[in-house]
């Protein structure tokens, strides 16, 4: 149906999170009905984002600026770093407007099953930031999963010798829960009621 161009478009759309073949077909049809209004602007936005957006060399956030807009915001508490697993978690905390410090994106968690070791995570730049000085507290805002807990313990051991304060999110993050699916109120409570790690 529709030729190889349409098949390819649907195949690519279906690989996106939250999309399956059915929703990919619907999206493709909607765009094809109005190529000038919907398809070309989307294609331009995709190309522009692919060209301009890169991980921040300090924190790992995605932005067209490097360092990112958060890292260069002088109104933020430069002595407070919130460590998260993914950029999605960072964006969730920003949406909740509960954290007025900086961030550090690990890029995942340690995972014995998934074969993810310390060298696969964005840890060395975090240690360098702390070594550089001026950091009073690191908040470990990792998901309430076995791997999240393992990673928090491991990081706590790594950070302890630096003398920096280390806290973790309190109650409110359900077991097995990822941060970016929580509602803003729950996230805010978990961050405010953080406790020493
Ligand atoms: Zn940054």
């Amino acid at each position: 149906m529709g030729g190889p161009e349409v098949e390819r478009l649907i195949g690519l759309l279906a690989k996106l999170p939250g999309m399956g073949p059915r929703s990919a077909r619907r999206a493709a049809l909607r765009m094809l009905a109005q190529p000038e209004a919907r398809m070309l602007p989307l294609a331009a936005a995709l190309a522009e984002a692919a060209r301009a957006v890169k991980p921040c060399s300090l924190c790992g956030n995605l932005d067209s600026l490097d360092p990112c807009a958060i890292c260069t915001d002088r109104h933020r508490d430069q002595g407070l770093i919130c460590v998260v697993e993914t950029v999605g978690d960072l964006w969730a905390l920003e949406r909740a407007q509960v954290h007025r410090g900086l961030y550090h994106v690990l890029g995942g968690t340690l995972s014995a099953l998934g074969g993810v070791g310390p060298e696969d995570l964005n840890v060395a730049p975090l240690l360098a930031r702390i070594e550089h000085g001026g950091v009073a507290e690191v908040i470990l805002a990792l998901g309430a999963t076995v791997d999240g807990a393992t990673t928090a313990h491991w990081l706590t051991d790594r950070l302890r010798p630096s003398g920096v304060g280390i806290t973790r999110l309190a109650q409110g993050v359900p077991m097995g829960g990822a941060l970016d699916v929580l509602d803003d109120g729950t996230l805010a409570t978990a961050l405010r009621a953080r406790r020493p790690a």
Side-chain angles (χ1 to χ4, degrees), residues 46-55 63-65:
L46 288 171
E48 182 60 15
R51 185 194 65 75
V53 179
K54 302 214 161 34
D63 200 325
S64 52
L65 302 170

Side-chain angles (χ1 to χ4, degrees), residues 55-63 65-72 90 102-103 129:
C56 170
S57 54
L58 289 178
C59 75
N61 184 24
L62 288 171
D63 200 325
L65 302 170
D66 186 14
C68 73
I70 291 175
C71 282
T72 51
L90 187 164
L102 305 178
Y103 292 93
R129 289 173 80 182

Side-chain angles (χ1 to χ4, degrees), residues 1-11 21 25 28-29 32:
M1 281 181 299
E5 295 85 358
V6 173
E7 290 301 322
R8 181 157 177 262
L9 174 62
I10 292 172
R25 272 195 302 277
L29 277 171
L32 287 163

Side-chain angles (χ1 to χ4, degrees), residues 72-169:
T72 51
D73 182 350
R74 291 293 123 192
H75 297 300
R76 285 174 176 268
D77 185 347
Q78 308 289 312
L80 189 57
I81 296 182
C82 183
V83 176
V84 293
E85 291 173 23
T86 66
V87 174
D89 292 339
L90 187 164
W91 289 359
L93 284 161
E94 281 297 286
R95 278 199 305 276
Q97 296 187 309
V98 284
H99 176 61
R100 294 308 298 162
L102 305 178
Y103 292 93
H104 196 86
V105 181
L106 283 182
T109 52
L110 297 174
S111 169
L113 282 178
V116 182
E119 67 285 354
D120 300 312
L121 300 179
N122 190 29
V123 172
L126 174 63
L127 298 175
R129 289 173 80 182
I130 291 166
E131 212 161 274
H132 189 256
V135 180
E137 179 184 347
V138 172
I139 306 167
L140 301 177
L142 305 176
T145 59
V146 171
D147 287 343
T150 304
T151 308
H153 278 127
W154 180 82
L155 261 181
T156 302
D157 287 345
R158 288 299 305 269
L159 300 178
R160 191 76 79 194
S162 70
V164 74
I166 310 166
T167 53
R168 342 178 24 169
L169 293 190

